[in-house]
């Protein structure tokens, strides 16, 4: 796409990128190396648009937002109570003060209080001059205008919110690259920002390949399966907030494949395909990918997953033709999802302009032993629950783990990540789990 790459030096060739990745071996590529390669490959969207605050939820902030004033703008009370001078508090006796007046939130003309006086103040009301402490009203006894404060109940500075303690003038309130969450919208609102600069949405095209695939609504002859990958991919992409271009199922026909790849390279920043990249594939997908761009075919040291194509494809018409990053994922339904989470998700976020934010891992005790060969990363589908004793989490694997068994993914609430160098896991041993759901 036109505005990708704009601020970058000329894109490196895939061979140049490979030479920067330590331990690069396309026939057995560790997940970490594949991730590093992809991070070096993908360009970042440059175009910026201004959006109304609410529409910016989930979008990537394109510029730092610097606070032009202090939030809060004045010292103010954190409680309903009595504002006083800390220096008026008696050391070893109750303090008695006279009420000089009241202060309410939003009130501009402030009551002044002389020594020995206090102000009845509400939460959020500006602190009157020279008063630095608030005693909550439930701690005092009041008799007419006399307020008695028990000794030791409050210290100087208590229950006072300081000017600028939330956002100080000149501070970067939010930094470019942030994926905007509900709290961020609130912060921007507290700065009075009606509009926010965000990167334009990344455009991601995807399609399925395979003569055996049928779309929902079509007949299902013997030997055929319904295309499920387009739905899992749609779901994962929708969650990332990218613009989705669904190009359907493409038959195993070179002309149809080529036309679809060209359309994808023209309209999208990234193209995701599923199927047709395994070693034994008899179809034309790999051939057409190789023809339309610079594409590598990897065997990744992971399970499920393994075969994957990566590179750039272009419309091919001229030197200024558009190009898109290609992620050619394996066809098996679980492998598609796992390779997406392991290798594509972060890359699409980076292309969208988002700052890298590693997904948080939980530590959970495996209920059963697990066999694991060092030298590849394994992703097992697991169900995480709170441990019976209430301390920490435990995880059990969802039934059969075949890479075609989508049910194992649907039943799971997280992926157990057995790392590259890790060996067998004993029952009760702690393992890393990537939870599927988070709070924000
Ligand atoms: P492939 O990677 O093309 O060799 O496909 C591996 C397995 O995944 C085969 O059993 C395919 O039928 C199956 N498969 C490929 N694409 C899809 C899809 N879009 N939906 C469901 N199953 C698929
Ligand atoms: Mg196939």
């Amino acid at each position: 796409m036109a505005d990708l790459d704009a601020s970058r030096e000329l894109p490196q060739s895939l061979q140049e990128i490979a030479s920067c990745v330590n331990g690069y071996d396309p026939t057995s590529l560790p997940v970490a190396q594949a991730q590093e390669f992809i991070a070096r490959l993908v360009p970042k969207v440059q175009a910026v648009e201004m959006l109304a605050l609410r529409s910016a939820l989930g979008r990537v902030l394109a510029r730092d937002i610097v606070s032009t004033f202090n939030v809060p703008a004045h010292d103010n009370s954190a409680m309903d109570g009595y504002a006083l001078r800390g220096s008026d508090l008696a050391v070893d006796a109750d303090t008695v003060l006279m009420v000089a007046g009241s202060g309410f939130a939003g009130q501009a003309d402030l009551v002044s209080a002389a020594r020995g006086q206090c102000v009845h103040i509400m939460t959020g009301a500006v602190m009157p001059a020279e008063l630095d402490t608030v005693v909550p009203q439930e701690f005092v006894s009041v008799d007419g205008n006399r307020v008695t404060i028990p000794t030791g109940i409050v210290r100087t500075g208590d229950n006072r919110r300081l000017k600028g303690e939330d956002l100080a003038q000149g501070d970067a309130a939010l930094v470019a690259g942030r994926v905007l969450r509900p709290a961020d919208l609130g912060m921007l609102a507290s700065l009075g920002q009606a509009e926010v600069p965000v990167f334009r949405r990344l455009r991601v095209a995807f399609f399925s390949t395979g003569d055996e695939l049928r779309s929902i609504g079509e007949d299902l002859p013997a030997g055929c399966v319904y295309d499920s990958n387009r739905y899992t991919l749609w779901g994962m992409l929708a969650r990332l907030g990218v613009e989705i271009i669904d190009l359907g199922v493409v038959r195993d026909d070179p002309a149809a494949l080529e036309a679809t790849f060209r359309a994808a390279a023209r309209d999208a920043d990234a193209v995701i395909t599923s199927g047709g990249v395994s070693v034994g594939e008899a179809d034309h997908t790999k051939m057409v990918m190789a023809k339309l761009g610079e594409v590598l075919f990897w065997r990744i040291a992971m399970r499920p997953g393994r075969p994957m194509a990566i590179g750039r494809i272009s419309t091919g018409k001229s030197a200024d033709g558009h190009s898109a990053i290609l992620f050619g994922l394996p066809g098996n339904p679980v492998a598609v999802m796992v390779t997406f989470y392991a290798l594509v998700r972060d890359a699409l976020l980076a292309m969208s302009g988002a700052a890298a934010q590693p997904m948080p891992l939980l530590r959970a005790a495996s209920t059963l032993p697990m066999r694991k060969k060092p030298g590849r990363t394994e992703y097992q589908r697991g169900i995480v629950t709170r441990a019976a004793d209430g301390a920490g989490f435990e995880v059990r694997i969802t039934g059969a783990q075949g890479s075609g068994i989508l049910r194992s993914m649907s039943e799971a609430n997280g992926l157990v990540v057995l790392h590259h160098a890790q060996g067998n896991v004993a029952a009760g041993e702690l393992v890393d789990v990537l939870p599927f759901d988070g709070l924000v």
Side-chain angles (χ1 to χ4, degrees):
M1 293 302 299
D3 69 335
L4 282 166
D5 261 340
S7 73
R8 287 195 159 202
E9 60 285 15
L10 279 176
Q12 290 181 300
S13 74
L14 299 196
Q15 292 314 323
E16 281 167 331
I17 295 172
S19 68
C20 299
V21 176
N22 226 333
Y24 179 79
D25 172 6
T27 64
S28 177
L29 191 61
V31 169
Q33 268 74 12
Q35 287 166 334
E36 186 189 337
F37 185 106
I38 293 170
R40 288 175 181 275
L41 170 72
V42 295
K44 195 174 105 169
V45 161
Q46 300 295 320
V48 174
E49 58 194 19
M50 293 299 284
L51 286 185
L53 193 48
R54 285 193 188 115
S55 309
L57 182 65
R59 298 291 295 269
V60 183
L61 189 65
R63 308 267 180 267
D64 292 355
I65 302 290
V66 175
S67 184
T68 52
F69 53 86
N70 288 305
V71 180
H74 309 276
D75 291 1
N76 68 88
S77 176
M79 303 289 275
D80 291 342
Y82 294 86
L84 50 89
R85 283 178 183 74
S87 55
D88 275 347
L89 290 167
V91 182
D92 294 321
D94 292 353
T95 304
V96 177
L97 299 173
M98 299 305 289
V99 180
S102 302
F104 296 92
Q107 185 179 316
D109 47 336
L110 304 181
V111 173
S112 58
R115 285 218 153 265
Q117 291 188 322
C118 62
V119 172
H120 192 198
I121 197 165
M122 308 305 146
T123 306
V126 174
M127 294 291 284
E130 296 177 22
L131 306 192
D132 53 17
T133 305
V134 175
V135 55
Q137 59 191 20
E138 56 272 29
F139 293 164
V140 305
S141 50
V142 183
D143 178 12
N145 263 355
R146 278 166 62 94
V147 174
T148 305
I149 302 160
T151 179
I153 205 85
V154 72
R155 286 166 313 172
T156 299
D158 279 359
N159 305 310
R160 173 186 49 161
R161 299 173 181 151
L162 294 173
K163 163 178 159 180
E165 73 175 16
D166 193 350
L167 295 168
Q169 184 176 0
D171 275 3
L174 291 168
V175 175
R178 173 136 189 123
V179 179
L180 295 170
R181 300 192 298 201
D184 305 327
L185 297 193
M187 263 216 322
L188 290 162
S190 67
L191 289 173
Q193 290 254 338
E195 293 193 315
V196 204
V198 297
F199 289 115
R200 78 148 166 85
R201 245 187 243 278
L202 195 73
R203 300 183 189 110
V204 183
F206 64 97
F207 58 94
S208 299
T209 68
D211 280 344
E212 76 282 25
L213 302 177
R214 293 292 177 274
S215 292
I216 305 173
E218 291 179 355
D219 288 341
L220 198 63
C224 290
V225 292
Y226 281 124
D227 174 6
S228 59
N229 290 345
R230 264 167 56 226
Y231 291 86
T232 47
L233 276 171
W234 181 88
M236 294 187 293
L237 291 170
R239 285 275 176 100
L240 282 189
V242 299
E243 198 179 307
I244 297 171
I245 306 170
D246 182 350
L247 296 174
V249 175
V250 181
R251 297 270 164 265
D252 188 17
D253 161 57
L257 284 165
E258 185 168 337
T260 310
F261 272 118
R262 285 194 197 283
R266 185 192 60 222
D267 296 338
D269 305 307
V271 185
I272 301 175
T273 62
S274 72
V277 292
S278 354
V279 176
E281 276 292 333
D283 64 18
H284 299 98
T285 311
K286 286 166 77 172
M287 185 199 76
V288 175
M289 285 177 176
K291 179 180 167 192
L292 291 186
E294 223 191 336
V295 179
L296 300 175
F297 295 94
W298 285 343
R299 281 172 70 79
I300 302 174
M302 69 185 280
R303 210 165 98 148
R306 291 255 277 207
M308 175 171 174
I310 184 80
R312 293 186 198 99
I313 54 162
S314 59
T315 49
K317 294 218 176 72
S318 62
D320 64 350
H322 293 148
S323 71
I325 299 295
L326 169 71
F327 300 92
L329 305 185
N332 271 309
V334 179
V336 166
M337 295 194 74
V338 170
T339 45
F340 182 92
Y341 287 130
L343 298 167
V344 182
R345 177 189 177 276
D346 285 356
L348 295 182
L349 285 172
M351 291 181 81
S352 305
Q357 215 182 20
M359 291 183 276
L361 291 167
L362 278 183
R363 298 283 284 166
S366 177
T367 55
L368 293 173
M370 288 188 267
R371 293 174 73 82
K372 160 72 169 62
K373 266 202 218 153
R376 68 181 184 207
T377 308
E378 291 189 13
Y379 299 86
Q380 311 235 5
R381 279 69 76 199
I383 299 172
V384 181
T385 49
R386 266 215 174 275
D389 61 5
F393 297 99
E394 58 186 31
V395 61
R396 77 187 152 80
I397 298 306
T398 58
Q401 298 287 294
S403 63
I405 302 176
L406 196 51
R407 181 178 172 169
S408 67
M409 202 72 191
S410 173
E411 284 178 356
N413 62 5
L415 279 180
V416 176
V417 184
L418 302 175
H419 298 282
H420 190 82
Q422 202 168 347
N424 290 337
V425 173
E429 196 175 322
L430 290 176
V431 290
D432 278 338
V433 184
L434 198 56
F436 286 153
D437 293 309
L439 181 64
V440 289

